[in-house]
Amino acid sequence: MKAETYISVDVEADGPIPGPYSMVSFGMTVAGRMTGRRFERTDPESRTFYAELRPISDDHVAEALAVSGLDRATLLREGRDPAEAMTEAAAWVREVCGDDLPVLAAFPLSYDWMWMYWYFLRFTGESPFGHSRCIDIKTLYAAKAVVPVAWATKRQMPREVRSRRPHTHNALDDAIEQAELLQNLMEWPGSAHREAGDAGGAVAPDPSGTASPDPSWTASPDPSGTASPDLSGAASPD
């Protein structure tokens, strides 16, 4: 069986879906390598890729673009040609993965995968991640913590799992932050270990049907300090 290299990817966009709207930037970093059942973390700052792209349509949601902190006029004038950037991105993925299978990792996967897959196919004809080599960090946490997906938010994760980096909405910064979250989750023993006596906390099930904090820990705000953007026109959901 081939080893896998996990690539943490974060996307910023000026609307909810690709095609009518544009991906304005994306960042990628090598998060780690999976060999059989063994995960090895890597320094998420050591191998990275970042691009700011020229918009592909006139339509945009001003509030979504504002989240990224990028200026539309500057992107139209100085943003990279999407075909050139996506071709270079695919070559970078192949280079850093070598003989390994590339796996795209994101939080939540549905948003970033949608944009990257569409852009790779539209501008290069294929994706280096195939049509399904991906891992959703949100689902990974829900499965390990044994909680509903709705509870799998960064705010409700135990401190030892969360990245200590701020969520800045710069695509590369956030890809690196996300890589640390993935690394921590891959090494985290999960709820089975907690139930055996680990004091680390995730959200404890509440008979009322709502999330209630495990008394062994206190939830602290998401490092971004802001609420997750609305997907009706979001740049990148937390």
Side-chain angles (χ1 to χ4, degrees), residues 7-11 18-19 21-23 25-29 49-51 53 56 80-97 102-105 109 111-134:
I7 308 293
S8 173
V9 178
D10 186 77
V11 165
Y21 302 97
S22 307
M23 179 165 66
S25 68
F26 66 98
M28 303 190 291
T29 183
F49 185 96
Y50 177 73
L53 307 180
I56 61 173
R80 297 188 60 181
D81 174 71
E84 175 189 280
M86 300 314 293
T87 298
E88 187 177 326
W92 179 86
V93 170
R94 289 191 292 268
E95 179 185 352
V96 297
C97 291
V103 175
L104 188 153
L109 177 71
Y111 184 83
D112 301 285
W113 175 271
M114 171 180 67
W115 285 96
M116 294 298 288
Y117 187 73
W118 191 94
Y119 264 69
F120 272 129
L121 264 65
R122 172 67 180 82
F123 294 107
T124 74
E126 61 181 355
S127 168
F129 302 101
H131 68 275
S132 63
R133 286 197 304 275
C134 52

Side-chain angles (χ1 to χ4, degrees), residues 103-184:
V103 175
L104 188 153
F107 185 104
L109 177 71
S110 55
Y111 184 83
D112 301 285
W113 175 271
M114 171 180 67
W115 285 96
M116 294 298 288
Y117 187 73
W118 191 94
Y119 264 69
F120 272 129
L121 264 65
R122 172 67 180 82
F123 294 107
T124 74
E126 61 181 355
S127 168
F129 302 101
H131 68 275
S132 63
R133 286 197 304 275
C134 52
I135 182 168
D136 180 24
I137 302 173
K138 188 179 185 76
T139 303
L140 176 64
Y141 172 74
K144 281 199 153 191
V146 194
V147 297
V149 170
W151 295 4
T153 65
K154 294 175 185 176
R155 293 177 181 84
Q156 298 193 72
M157 293 180 183
R159 289 188 183 92
E160 69 268 22
V161 167
R162 298 195 299 261
S163 170
R164 296 182 183 275
R165 297 173 185 267
H167 192 79
T168 67
H169 288 292
N170 170 279
L172 183 55
D173 286 350
D174 293 352
I176 293 172
E177 176 218 2
Q178 189 176 260
E180 288 191 348
L181 175 60
L182 173 65
Q183 292 169 347
N184 294 341

Side-chain angles (χ1 to χ4, degrees), residues 34 42-43 48 90 93 112 119 139 156 161-162 179 198 203 208 218 236:
M34 194 75 176
T42 61
D43 177 0
T48 64
V93 170
D112 301 285
Y119 264 69
T139 303
Q156 298 193 72
V161 167
R162 298 195 299 261
D198 181 14
V203 174
S208 68
T218 303
S236 173

